[in-house]
Amino acid sequence: MNLLIVESPAKAKTIEKYLGKDYRVVASVGHVRDLVPEDGSVDVKNDFAMKWQIMPGKEKQIKIILDELKKADALYLAPDPDREGEAIAWHLLDILNSRGALKNKKVYRVTFNEITKKTVQAAIDNPREIDQNLVDAYLVRRALDYLIGFRLSPVLWRRNLGRSAGRVQSVAVALVVAREREIEAFKPVEYWSLGAECALAKSNFIAQLTRFDGEKIEKLSIENKTSMDTILAAIGEPVIPAEVINVEKKKTSRKPAAPFTTSTLQQEAARKLRFSSKRTMSVAQKLYEQGLITYMRTDATNLSQDAVASIRNFIQEKYGNAFLPGIPNIYVTKSKNAQEAHEAIRPTDAARVGAGEGDEYKLYDLIWKRTVACQMTNAEFDSVVVDIKPNIKTDAIFHAVGTTRTFDGFMKVYIEDKDDAEEEGETKLPPMVVGDKINITKLLPEQHFTQPPPRYTEASLVKKLEELGIGRPSTYATIMSTIVDREYVKIDKQRFFPTPAGWIVAAFLSRYFVDIIAVDFTAKTEDTLDDVAAGEQKRLAALLAFWNPFNKVLESAKDVPTPEVLLEINKDLAAHLFPDDNRICPECSKGTLSLKVSKYGAFLGCSNYPECKYTKNLAATDNAGEKSGDENGAKTNTNNDLGEGIKFMIGRFGPYVTDGKKNASAKKYTAETMTLEIAKELLSGEKKKAEGIELGTNPVTGKPILYYAEGRYGAYISSNKVNVSVKEQPDLTTATDLINNKKPSTKKTWGKKK
């Protein structure tokens, strides 16, 4: 009998079905060992020696593995084919060796990019040893994150500046804050455009003014209404006879997008399905473990020859030869070192059109469509450009563009969404030739203002991090959830907004730890990890290159007095805190306002304290915390009037609803998510009984794990009388980890017999 170890119970069940009675497949349920959570677990004075411990709750899982190993002749370590998977295999091997469990046992490392019978068997037939270079890259990354967390975070805690700082997460927060600075500093510029409603026979279309009085009309050429009125007066009143003076026709085509990488899957799932990165990866993990898709952590865009052949066969049978290119479409991976896996994310069987239910079905459908489309022919278009000259004394030319899709190609299956830009649509024009007579029946002047850069969505922030070379496929989901969980950013209408804590942490780091949030530094660190993984740099050299300069900055920053730190942060955030440059206290009119911090969060305080006790809380929302509101410290916002005399408010203790007589907490809601029905339910005090969603069975206890969307303290999971709070519905592996690793209660049981 052979023992094969994977990470997840679901994957173990699928693989054991493929391998049969000669194999026992057991799950480690993720990582089994981690650094001891105390200062000194990475010994910087002893070549960065690392002190490990078995993770809480994992001793039971190790015992299961040890018991099964006694009956086995060989051990196959088969965690995922990336650095984290290699690290899990390395940890397991070290633990089992230290306990003398591998004596006279053969040990193999196997990896597979998809969970199909053919691929799993091929991996077992071609085992290898653990790749120490991949392990070293993991060790460097883990040590760096630990050193920053345990050395930098206390600098924030002692000054009440933030909860923690991370190597990559801090850069993400800095990007969100930098974008907000751009938005706040943005000054809109007025401009006008002039359209013309044109009529030819029974067809109407719109053309835009592109030339006037010998000058080319560009976006900002018509500056104001006065300029527009001058143009309108010169052109005259419709109906204006006009003539087609130029017609240009050309054929264009559009190529299909590459198959999904981890990053592009998260971006497209955010755009099309409104999934968070964490939700996307959780669902993708389930699809992978069921053998429905290939490994979902990858930055490669290539497909195997077998996969391409299968996809092309499906296209030919389903859509015909017209949709099948003569030779396969090839996509080149842009990443410098696509070490995470060897293929793009694709269905394991192109002929399987649908799979799963709910979220799984939606994500599988997205992956399937993108994969099939990537091997289809280009979409083809006819493009027509027409110039129209009114029959007037003044030189003026109107320009119209028409686009018609003449062949669907890949667009018959899939069209990629775009960030912050409208997808090019089809605009049809009537057939025209030079000399055709046109009537301009109406002039359409329109005022515009330039727009600030858009705030980041999850999709656009992941895309930006990838462009900058920051983070890796396995980290994007964690980055997104971490910056929200730490309350450095908030999400409203799918957009990231920095919180006061985010502003402050970014300002502090940019002043005292500029390298930590410097894009070049963080990207270079990722390159270093790639070099270690490729065997081009040694672990110790990589750690020293980081630690020596970081430690010098750390030591100098630790001794800076807090008042001096706050002074620097006040300078940095002056434009944000006081956009009108007015710092006079609105209550006493004598003191000036400045940023203060306490264990309860950031606030503006008066310099005339204690004579003046005015404060403005920055920790809730922009309309929260000033004394000049209602009795709960809230300002009335008529936009939050829900109807029937009920309003949604923000008070000093957070969101609530009120009917003027009774208030009810609404901490889980925003102005966008609150409805009149929800408010009535909150005010009535009646709560619907929560219905649990079964996530699966806990492999340790054999008991079901249930997810509850609403509890007394928010969402939670429960199994065998153990409850754990969660932010959102987790996958089975995560839920199992949380349940099994929960520390026992320390509450005293007075009067109960032991």
Side-chain angles (χ1 to χ4, degrees):
M1 196 270 285
N2 301 301
L3 177 63
L4 187 142
I5 303 177
V6 294
E7 293 107 316
S8 96
K11 191 195 300 185
K13 185 177 180 181
T14 303
I15 293 174
E16 192 165 73
K17 179 178 64 177
Y18 293 149
L19 296 178
K21 63 181 180 179
D22 291 334
Y23 284 84
R24 177 78 173 97
V25 185
V26 175
S28 67
V29 194
H31 273 280
V32 295
R33 195 167 70 170
D34 199 4
L35 289 168
V36 178
E38 61 185 28
D39 195 12
S41 289
V42 176
D43 190 350
V44 296
K45 296 180 180 179
N46 187 25
D47 291 343
F48 299 91
M50 303 170 81
K51 190 189 303 182
W52 305 99
Q53 70 171 17
I54 304 297
M55 296 170 67
K58 289 302 177 73
E59 196 62 60
K60 294 179 182 178
Q61 207 63 24
I62 291 173
K63 186 179 185 306
I64 292 173
I65 293 171
L66 287 169
D67 289 343
E68 294 293 341
L69 192 55
K70 291 175 184 177
K71 299 176 273 185
D73 300 314
L75 171 66
Y76 289 83
L77 298 167
D80 290 339
D82 58 11
R83 294 174 191 165
E84 293 299 312
E86 207 72 18
I88 291 173
W90 177 78
H91 279 299
L92 284 168
L93 183 62
D94 192 48
I95 292 168
L96 297 175
N97 262 324
S98 68
R99 301 191 184 188
L102 297 176
K103 189 176 181 180
N104 299 322
K105 310 273 187 190
K106 293 181 179 179
V107 180
Y108 305 103
R109 169 74 168 121
V110 295
T111 60
F112 28 79
N113 191 48
E114 60 184 63
I115 303 176
T116 59
K117 186 173 183 178
K118 177 183 175 182
T119 305
V120 171
Q121 190 60 60
I124 289 176
D125 292 341
N126 296 278
R128 62 171 174 82
E129 295 182 351
I130 287 178
D131 188 331
Q132 191 58 45
N133 291 331
L134 289 180
V135 174
D136 283 346
Y138 155 80
L139 293 174
V140 172
R141 194 273 304 165
R142 189 68 190 88
L144 292 183
D145 291 345
Y146 169 90
L147 289 170
I148 291 176
F150 269 85
R151 299 301 176 97
L152 178 54
S153 294
V155 178
L156 296 172
W157 300 338
R158 287 196 295 269
R159 295 177 169 87
N160 294 312
L161 297 177
R163 298 173 63 180
S164 60
R167 179 176 58 87
V168 180
Q169 296 92 331
S170 296
V171 180
V173 174
L175 288 172
V176 174
V177 169
R179 177 58 56 87
E180 200 68 23
R181 287 183 189 272
E182 292 181 63
I183 294 170
E184 289 184 352
F186 181 80
K187 304 295 183 186
V189 176
E190 180 186 8
Y191 68 98
W192 288 69
S193 64
L194 181 60
E197 191 174 277
C198 302
L200 174 64
K202 295 182 179 180
S203 298
N204 293 311
F205 62 94
I206 304 295
Q208 294 291 328
L209 182 68
T210 57
R211 190 172 184 83
F212 179 76
D213 201 18
E215 298 290 335
K216 184 178 180 181
I217 301 297
E218 297 180 331
K219 180 177 178 179
L220 302 179
S221 295
I222 308 175
E223 298 178 347
N224 49 43
K225 188 175 185 300
T226 301
S227 299
M228 176 54 71
D229 288 343
T230 300
I231 293 173
L232 292 174
I235 292 176
E237 294 294 330
V239 173
I240 304 169
E243 181 180 340
V244 175
I245 62 171
N246 180 53
V247 177
E248 293 180 12
K249 297 180 180 179
K250 62 179 180 179
K251 292 187 177 295
T252 60
S253 64
R254 189 182 306 174
K255 296 179 180 179
F260 281 130
T261 63
T262 303
S263 167
T264 54
L265 176 62
Q266 291 176 10
Q267 293 173 46
E268 194 72 342
R271 298 183 193 113
K272 276 188 160 67
L273 306 178
R274 295 292 185 261
F275 282 8
S276 68
S277 295
K278 186 175 181 180
R279 183 178 176 186
T280 297
M281 295 310 292
S282 173
V283 177
Q285 179 82 35
K286 294 176 184 176
L287 293 173
Y288 169 64
E289 290 171 353
Q290 296 171 56
L292 297 174
I293 64 170
T294 54
Y295 190 53
M296 64 288 161
R297 293 187 180 92
T298 175
D299 44 16
T301 54
N302 57 292
L303 299 172
S304 70
Q305 291 182 355
D306 287 348
V308 171
S310 174
I311 296 165
R312 286 174 61 83
N313 286 338
F314 177 83
I315 293 170
Q316 188 174 38
E317 293 176 5
K318 176 72 175 178
Y319 303 106
N321 287 329
F323 291 86
L324 185 69
I327 59 174
N329 295 330
I330 297 174
Y331 300 91
V332 179
T333 300
K334 297 180 181 179
S335 175
K336 171 192 170 186
N337 185 6
Q339 84 290 333
E340 301 293 351
H342 305 292
E343 266 197 279
I345 303 169
R346 62 168 175 82
T348 54
D349 181 3
R352 188 188 291 114
V353 177
E357 297 179 351
D359 284 358
E360 291 179 29
Y361 177 84
K362 293 176 184 177
L363 193 65
Y364 180 86
D365 184 61
L366 188 66
I367 294 169
W368 182 87
K369 287 179 177 176
R370 175 87 161 218
T371 305
V372 171
C374 84
Q375 290 302 317
M376 295 178 75
T377 50
N378 294 348
E380 296 176 1
F381 301 84
D382 277 346
S383 178
V384 180
V385 176
V386 179
D387 290 324
I388 299 167
K389 189 177 188 309
N391 186 16
I392 57 177
K393 294 181 180 179
T394 304
D395 173 36
I397 295 176
F398 288 86
H399 187 77
V401 178
T403 303
T404 304
R405 190 193 309 174
T406 56
F407 179 67
D408 288 337
F410 74 91
M411 297 179 82
K412 190 174 187 68
V413 174
Y414 175 85
I415 301 175
E416 183 182 25
D417 278 4
K418 301 292 182 184
D419 283 313
D420 306 312
E422 294 183 6
E423 180 68 25
E424 293 180 18
E426 295 182 44
T427 304
K428 294 185 178 181
L429 295 178
M432 284 179 276
V433 296
V434 173
D436 277 350
K437 303 303 179 182
I438 304 289
N439 279 330
I440 296 177
T441 58
K442 189 176 183 180
L443 294 177
L444 306 168
E446 188 174 358
Q447 182 187 38
H448 308 273
F449 291 91
T450 55
Q451 298 297 309
R455 292 180 175 89
Y456 286 111
T457 62
E458 279 213 18
S460 59
L461 185 54
V462 166
K463 184 178 181 180
K464 185 66 174 180
L465 291 170
E466 186 182 40
E467 288 174 354
L468 297 172
I470 296 170
R472 280 295 179 262
S474 58
T475 65
Y476 293 133
T478 303
I479 293 168
M480 298 299 111
S481 60
T482 298
I483 62 177
V484 174
D485 292 345
R486 290 179 179 171
E487 298 180 348
Y488 289 149
V489 302
K490 62 181 180 180
I491 300 178
D492 189 9
K493 296 180 180 177
Q494 308 295 323
R495 299 282 175 175
F496 282 121
F497 291 75
T499 64
W503 279 99
I504 291 168
V505 166
F508 174 75
L509 294 178
S510 68
R511 172 62 179 84
Y512 296 100
F513 293 90
V514 65
D515 278 350
I516 295 298
I517 59 172
V519 167
D520 291 344
F521 171 83
T522 309
K524 185 178 178 181
T525 302
E526 298 296 343
D527 289 342
T528 298
L529 294 177
D530 287 341
D531 291 340
V532 174
E536 297 172 3
Q537 187 170 352
K538 296 298 182 183
R539 180 182 71 89
L540 184 58
L543 286 169
L544 285 171
F546 164 81
W547 174 250
N548 289 336
F550 173 72
N551 190 46
K552 289 180 181 178
V553 175
L554 181 70
E555 292 301 319
S556 63
K558 281 164 58 175
D559 298 329
V560 180
T562 298
E564 183 178 325
V565 171
L566 284 176
L567 181 63
E568 293 296 325
I569 293 176
N570 268 287
K571 290 179 183 177
D572 187 81
L573 299 184
H576 168 64
L577 296 174
F578 308 103
D580 56 359
D581 203 28
N582 178 17
R583 305 186 188 208
I584 302 299
C585 175
E587 188 160 301
C588 71
S589 301
K590 296 178 181 178
T592 57
L593 301 180
S594 64
L595 180 73
K596 310 286 184 183
V597 292
S598 73
K599 62 181 180 179
Y600 301 109
F603 63 96
L604 293 180
C606 179
S607 62
N608 199 27
Y609 179 85
E611 285 76 13
C612 177
K613 294 182 172 60
Y614 175 85
T615 61
K616 180 181 179 182
N617 181 20
L618 301 179
T621 62
D622 290 339
N623 68 341
E626 286 199 49
K627 292 182 179 179
S628 55
D630 69 4
E631 61 183 359
N632 291 285
K635 288 184 174 181
T636 302
N637 185 339
T638 55
N639 292 331
N640 294 339
D641 192 335
L642 303 172
E644 298 184 20
I646 299 175
K647 294 180 179 179
F648 174 79
M649 310 289 284
I650 303 292
R652 60 184 300 189
F653 300 113
Y656 68 99
V657 290
T658 180
D659 60 4
K661 299 178 181 178
K662 183 179 180 181
N663 299 339
S665 174
K667 289 185 177 180
K668 293 188 291 183
Y669 299 95
T670 66
E672 287 71 30
T673 60
M674 175 58 68
T675 65
L676 178 61
E677 290 71 24
I678 294 173
K680 285 181 176 179
E681 183 181 321
L682 293 174
L683 288 167
S684 71
E686 297 179 0
K687 290 188 176 180
K688 296 178 181 178
K689 186 177 180 180
E691 296 182 3
I693 300 172
E694 185 168 340
L695 303 177
T697 302
N698 188 330
V700 176
T701 63
K703 302 292 184 180
I705 300 177
L706 299 174
Y707 167 74
Y708 294 89
E710 293 188 12
R712 183 179 179 185
Y713 303 106
Y716 70 99
I717 54 175
S718 179
S719 180
N720 200 25
K721 299 183 180 179
V722 177
N723 299 333
V724 180
S725 295
V726 294
K727 291 285 184 181
E728 60 184 3
Q729 182 177 335
D731 57 68
L732 178 59
T733 300
T734 302
T736 302
D737 260 349
L738 293 171
I739 291 290
N740 293 341
N741 293 334
K742 183 175 181 181
K743 295 180 180 179
S745 174
T746 57
K747 292 182 179 179
K748 294 181 179 180
T749 53
W750 298 106
K752 292 185 179 181
K753 293 182 179 180
K754 294 184 179 180

